[in-house]
Amino acid sequence: MNMKLLAAATLAAATGMAHAADSVTIYGLIDLGLTNYSNTLTTGKSSLLRMDSGIAQGSRIGFKGTEDLGGGLNAFFTLETGFNADDGTLGQGGAIFGRQSFVGLGDQKLGSISLGRQYDFMSNLGGQYAMGALSPAGSFGWGLHADAAHAAVMNDHIYAGDRTNNSIKYNSAKMAGFTVGAMYGFGEVAGSTVASRTISAYGQYDNGPFSGGLAYTDVKNATGTDSTRMYGLGATYKLDAWTPFGVLTQVKSTATNAKYTNYELGTVYALTALWDLSAAYQIQTRNQGVAGAKALVAMVDYKISKRTDLYFGAVYDRDKGANAYPVFGGGIQSGTGVQTAVRLGMRHRF
């Protein structure tokens, strides 16, 4: 009898462990390719050919899981590590879960709340309405939006490269096509409730072929005296094989009163079930007498399977006001503020 009970208990434990394991997913993405940058200074040559990781999307490995708590309630988590596939080093400054690290509770009717290292809501615009995410352009599409010549204070965050530590985030369930969200990032500076604090909010509406969203993020500096403030809106509309899109963002520094405004218009065209063509034109204007910038991005994407694609793309950036690094992601300094990059890459998801 005892042996039967032991066998039953062992079977029950094994079944429970299998159930728990079934709720956890290991996933990832590897993006590698050859990129040729024109007009470089770092090598003393007119161009540089090199292997780059994470241009279309950052290479990563992650773990996510959910647990059904009953009554429409669930617990969930995500742990995600970024890495450089060309040399195996960790991304995000070497943080083991530098891309994302959070845990939360979700309800089918009320939405979800999560805590940890998470994206602010400006990234929702980039992730849904911009060339950098709607095509394999990736970093080629983030140059004007993300990082004008590495002047990070004017970073508008839509490329999802900025995450917020020590944050609590709410995402609503969809109601009549509407979803909203809010996030608060604790600065955790002793003696101050505002130093290094982040506030972010988002609203989105989806109706058939149309989707549109708007976002706001305010990041206080280390002393809490000034902010970097970001505003944005974006939209897409599906017209058979065409998906036109547009994004407008603005980033301001209250410390210097500097203001950059970004405009992007583009489209994705599904040539066939396997081939996508995409292109976008971007403009950045600046105040205080600083000259602006322009970029043209084009991509061809061939889907080998549901998880693997080959892509070819090119970007032309012209930045006369902050001209050190026109092409974002490559980190290749330009001599004149005019730079092109051409890439042949492969992306595999698992």
Side-chain angles (χ1 to χ4, degrees), residues 166-217:
N166 315 308
S167 64
I168 180 168
K169 187 176 187 179
Y170 169 74
N171 284 283
S172 76
K174 184 176 288 188
M175 300 168 288
F178 288 95
T179 53
V180 297
M183 187 182 79
Y184 186 88
F186 295 87
E188 298 192 351
V189 176
S192 175
T193 59
V194 295
S196 299
R197 180 266 296 144
T198 297
I199 292 175
S200 188
Y202 186 70
Q204 182 173 325
Y205 177 68
D206 296 296
N207 184 4
F210 174 80
S211 178
L214 51 88
Y216 168 77
T217 296

Side-chain angles (χ1 to χ4, degrees), residues 51-340:
M51 182 176 292
D52 280 327
S53 169
I55 295 295
Q57 286 182 272
S59 298
R60 69 199 68 174
I61 185 169
F63 309 86
K64 61 182 177 182
T66 61
E67 180 186 10
D68 187 355
L69 302 177
L73 187 68
N74 67 85
F76 60 88
F77 76 91
T78 294
L79 298 170
E80 192 173 275
T81 299
F83 63 93
N84 301 303
D86 55 334
D87 60 14
T89 57
L90 288 175
Q92 291 78 52
I96 188 169
F97 293 117
R99 290 187 61 87
Q100 299 183 84
S101 173
F102 61 84
V103 66
L105 291 172
D107 182 271
Q108 293 177 355
K109 296 181 179 180
L110 301 178
S112 66
I113 189 165
S114 52
L115 302 92
R117 177 174 169 86
Q118 307 171 86
Y119 297 114
D120 67 32
F121 283 106
M122 291 300 291
S123 67
N124 285 49
L125 293 179
Q128 297 181 78
Y129 308 118
M131 177 74 173
L134 293 175
S135 77
S139 293
F140 282 7
W142 301 132
L144 303 191
H145 285 289
D147 190 71
H150 291 191
V153 68
M154 304 309 289
N155 183 342
D156 66 12
H157 289 204
I158 76 163
Y159 73 122
D162 287 73
R163 291 94 177 170
T164 303
N165 293 328
N166 315 308
S167 64
I168 180 168
K169 187 176 187 179
Y170 169 74
N171 284 283
S172 76
K174 184 176 288 188
M175 300 168 288
F178 288 95
T179 53
V180 297
M183 187 182 79
Y184 186 88
F186 295 87
E188 298 192 351
V189 176
S192 175
T193 59
V194 295
S196 299
R197 180 266 296 144
T198 297
I199 292 175
S200 188
Y202 186 70
Q204 182 173 325
Y205 177 68
D206 296 296
N207 184 4
F210 174 80
S211 178
L214 51 88
Y216 168 77
T217 296
D218 182 292
V219 182
K220 286 288 188 183
N221 64 6
T223 61
T225 54
D226 289 290
S227 294
T228 299
R229 293 175 181 164
M230 292 152 275
Y231 315 78
L233 56 90
T236 61
Y237 193 94
K238 189 168 180 58
L239 295 166
D240 296 323
W242 295 91
T243 305
F245 57 86
V247 176
L248 168 64
T249 66
Q250 187 175 91
V251 54
K252 298 179 178 179
S253 168
T254 64
T256 64
N257 293 318
K259 178 175 66 177
Y260 290 7
T261 304
N262 298 299
Y263 308 86
E264 176 178 326
L265 287 174
T267 189
V268 177
Y269 176 64
L271 182 64
T272 70
L274 300 179
W275 291 90
D276 283 346
L277 310 178
S278 53
Y281 182 64
Q282 304 168 345
I283 298 175
Q284 183 175 93
T285 62
R286 302 161 182 156
N287 66 348
Q288 299 178 330
V290 181
K294 299 177 182 179
L296 180 63
V297 191
M299 302 295 300
V300 178
D301 189 24
Y302 175 63
K303 303 166 189 174
I304 300 175
S305 70
K306 291 182 178 180
R307 297 189 293 130
T308 305
D309 61 332
L310 295 174
Y311 61 90
F312 176 79
V315 56
Y316 169 84
D317 281 359
R318 179 185 178 94
D319 191 332
K320 289 298 186 182
N323 64 6
Y325 297 88
V327 174
F328 179 68
I332 306 298
Q333 190 172 357
S334 166
T336 63
V338 177
Q339 193 171 54
T340 61

